[in-house]
Amino acid sequence: MRYIKIVFGGLLILFILLTLIGLLMPSSVTVFRSVEINAPADTIHYYTNNIAHWKYWINGADTAYFKQLTSSATDKDSKILLGSFTITIISVDTKHITTFWEGSSGGKQLNNLELRDNSNGNTVINWSFQQKLKWYPWERLSAMLHDKVFGPSMEVSLVKLKSVCEGTLNSD
C-alpha cells in the first residue's frame, strides 16, 4: 500500500510539473513557409484562391477524398471536404485567402495564404498554419513538433505550386 501511495504521489507531482511547464509555453503555434514563384499573381491566384484547385498542388490532395460542400469554391463561407478536413473560406481577395481547417478528430487550424509581388516581377507566397492550444500539458508539449510535422508537407506543396504555376506560364 505504501508503494502505491509513493507511485501515485510521484505521478501527481509529474503531472503538475508538466502542466506548469506547458503553461509557460505559448497558447498557439504557427508554422510558416514561403516561396518565390516566377509567375504573375493572377496565374497563382487561380490555384490558391479557389479551394477546389488545391488538389493540384496541396501535398496529398490529389489522392485524398475531395467533395465540394457548397455551390462555390471561391467565395466567403465556401466549404470543401479534403481527406479528413473540412475547409471553410473565412476571407478571400485577389492577394490573400484565409481558411479554417477542421479535422475529423476535432483539430482546428487557421490557414493564411498571401501573395506579394516583388521588385523583380515574381510573386512571393507566404503560407502559415496557426493552431490554438488548450492548457493540456501533452498538447502544449507536442506543439514543439508541429514545425517538424507540417513544415515538410508545406514545403512539398509550395514546390508543387511553383512547378504548376511556372509550367502554366511556360505552356501558354
Side-chain angles (χ1 to χ4, degrees):
M1 184 68 167
R2 180 173 179 244
Y3 293 113
I4 294 174
K5 287 182 181 180
I6 291 172
V7 169
F8 180 73
L11 290 175
L12 182 62
I13 289 171
L14 181 62
F15 178 77
I16 290 170
L17 184 62
L18 289 175
T19 301
L20 291 174
I21 290 170
L23 290 174
L24 294 174
M25 299 177 127
S27 62
S28 68
V29 64
T30 302
V31 180
F32 178 85
R33 293 295 186 268
S34 185
V35 70
E36 184 175 337
I37 299 176
N38 183 18
D42 291 343
T43 300
I44 300 165
H45 176 267
Y46 174 81
Y47 293 101
T48 60
N49 286 36
N50 183 334
I51 56 178
H53 295 163
W54 284 8
K55 61 186 169 191
Y56 299 117
W57 65 275
I58 295 273
N59 187 31
D62 53 347
T63 58
Y65 177 75
F66 176 87
K67 182 178 180 185
Q68 193 166 316
L69 301 175
T70 56
S71 60
S72 171
T74 59
D75 298 328
K76 185 177 187 274
D77 297 325
S78 296
K79 288 186 181 191
I80 65 167
L81 188 61
L82 183 62
S84 63
F85 289 96
T86 301
I87 303 170
T88 306
I89 295 179
I90 304 232
S91 67
V92 63
D93 61 41
T94 58
K95 299 281 186 175
H96 188 265
I97 181 169
T98 301
T99 56
F100 183 73
W101 293 49
E102 186 168 3
S104 58
S105 62
K108 299 175 183 176
Q109 299 173 342
L110 196 62
N111 173 13
N112 287 299
L113 262 166
E114 179 187 18
L115 286 68
R116 289 186 308 117
D117 296 322
N118 66 11
S119 59
N120 60 0
N122 295 339
T123 305
V124 176
I125 307 290
N126 294 321
W127 188 19
S128 67
F129 274 98
Q130 181 179 32
Q131 183 173 3
K132 300 250 185 252
L133 305 171
K134 297 179 179 145
W135 66 271
Y136 310 138
W138 54 88
E139 191 167 311
R140 294 278 179 109
L141 295 172
S142 70
M144 294 185 294
L145 300 174
H146 274 62
D147 193 65
K148 299 280 188 220
V149 172
F150 291 110
S153 181
M154 291 171 70
E155 289 169 7
V156 168
S157 297
L158 288 173
V159 166
K160 201 171 182 182
L161 177 63
K162 180 178 173 93
S163 174
V164 166
C165 291
E166 290 178 354
T168 300
L169 184 66
N170 293 335
S171 66
D172 289 341

